[in-house]
Amino acid sequence: MINTKLLAALGVSFAALATPALAQEPLSFRVAPQYDANSVEARDTSAFRSAALKSDAVSIESSRIALERSRNPNVRNYAKNVLVEREATTKALLPEGTSLTAGGTVVSDSQPFETRLDNPVGVVLAPVTISASIAQKIVGGVLGGVGLVDNSPGEPGRRVAIGPEGQARIDSLKNARSAREFDRTYARQQARSDARTLGLYEAYSRNGDNAQGREFANQALPYIANQHGHSAILADRIGG
C-alpha cells in the first residue's frame, strides 16, 4: 500500500500523478539506459544506495545553481521542488553523521583528518538544509542502517562524493554562456537524470536484496515519477 503520509510530505498529490502529461510514454524509456534485473544496483542495497545518493547530490547542487542563475519561473519552481525532494531521499538513505565516499563506502564523519574540496577522491557536496517532514518510519536509516559504517576509512567524505561524471554536469551548467543556454542545459540534464533515477528505483523495488529497502523504493517511486514527468515536460518546452 502506498504511504500517503510519505507522498504528502514530499509534496506529491495523486491528482498530479494522474494528469494527462504524466500519462504519456515516460521519457525515461526513450532517452536513458535502464537498470535491468541483473545490474548490481538493482540487487545490491549498497550499490543502489550509492547510485541514488550520487544522483541526489548532483541534482541538489545543479538546482542550487539554477536558483542563482535562472529567471524562468518554471525552471525555478522545478528546482525548488528538487531541493526539497532530493534532500528527503538523501536523509532516508544516509544516516546522520555519515558520508558516502567516492568509492561508495559509508563512513563516519568523525575522522582524524580534514576533508578538502580539492581532495583527489572526488568532489563532495553537502545537501542543503531544507526541512522536509517525512514519515519517521521511512527515514532515519531504513537504508542507512543497512551495512556497517566504516569508522576508519581509507578515503575521506563529507556527505556525498559525486565523482567526475557528476562534476562534469555541474561544470557544464557553470559554463553556460547565457540564461537560455543555462535553462536548456539544466532541463535536459535533469530530464535524463530523473529518468535514470526512476529506472534505478523501479529496478531495485523489484529485485533489491533488502525488504525494507524495497518498501522504501516502492513508496518513493510515485514522487520520483512525478518529478521526472515535470522535468521531461520542462525539457520539451525549453527545447532540450
Side-chain angles (χ1 to χ4, degrees):
M1 177 180 295
I2 295 296
N3 186 324
T4 54
K5 291 183 179 180
L6 170 64
L7 299 183
L10 289 167
V12 178
S13 69
F14 287 101
L17 292 172
T19 58
L22 297 184
Q24 298 171 2
E25 178 189 3
L27 185 69
S28 56
F29 299 106
R30 292 187 278 122
V31 303
Q34 297 304 296
Y35 296 88
D36 61 36
N38 295 318
S39 64
V40 64
E41 294 89 352
R43 295 178 287 104
D44 180 75
T45 296
S46 295
F48 163 76
R49 177 173 56 189
S50 178
L53 284 169
K54 289 178 181 179
S55 173
D56 283 355
V58 178
S59 288
I60 286 170
E61 184 64 8
S62 297
S63 297
R64 290 174 65 178
I65 298 172
L67 292 179
E68 293 175 357
R69 295 198 53 180
S70 180
R71 293 297 174 263
N72 184 311
N74 293 323
V75 170
R76 293 180 63 82
N77 286 337
Y78 168 77
K80 290 176 183 177
N81 288 333
V82 170
L83 292 180
V84 174
E85 294 172 351
R86 292 304 188 99
E87 197 217 18
T89 48
T90 293
K91 284 184 174 181
L93 292 164
L94 196 61
E96 184 177 356
T98 66
S99 298
L100 183 79
T101 68
T105 302
V106 177
V107 301
S108 171
D109 286 343
S110 300
Q111 299 167 17
F113 45 75
E114 179 183 359
T115 300
R116 298 173 52 185
L117 291 181
D118 60 350
N119 73 76
V121 299
V123 177
V124 292
L125 302 173
V128 292
T129 53
I130 295 179
S131 175
S133 57
I134 186 174
Q136 188 60 40
K137 71 176 184 178
I138 298 298
V139 300
V142 166
L143 291 189
V146 176
L148 298 175
V149 173
D150 187 352
N151 289 308
S152 301
E155 54 181 309
R158 285 292 185 272
R159 298 310 284 169
V160 179
I162 62 172
E165 182 178 347
Q167 187 60 45
R169 275 182 55 190
I170 292 170
D171 289 344
S172 68
L173 290 174
K174 291 181 176 179
N175 294 330
R177 292 167 295 182
S178 67
R180 179 169 177 76
E181 180 184 344
F182 176 88
D183 287 343
R184 293 181 65 179
T185 301
Y186 173 71
R188 182 175 63 250
Q189 286 183 356
Q190 286 302 125
R192 291 179 178 274
S193 175
D194 289 347
R196 190 159 178 80
T197 300
L198 181 62
L200 172 68
Y201 271 76
E202 196 277 332
Y204 181 84
S205 72
R206 290 185 288 105
N207 306 292
D209 60 8
N210 180 272
Q212 286 183 304
R214 293 194 303 273
E215 178 187 1
F216 166 79
N218 270 307
Q219 303 224 356
L221 266 173
Y223 99 82
I224 293 173
N226 184 66
Q227 187 179 89
H228 166 56
H230 285 295
S231 62
I233 293 170
L234 189 64
D236 287 341
R237 287 178 176 174
I238 293 178

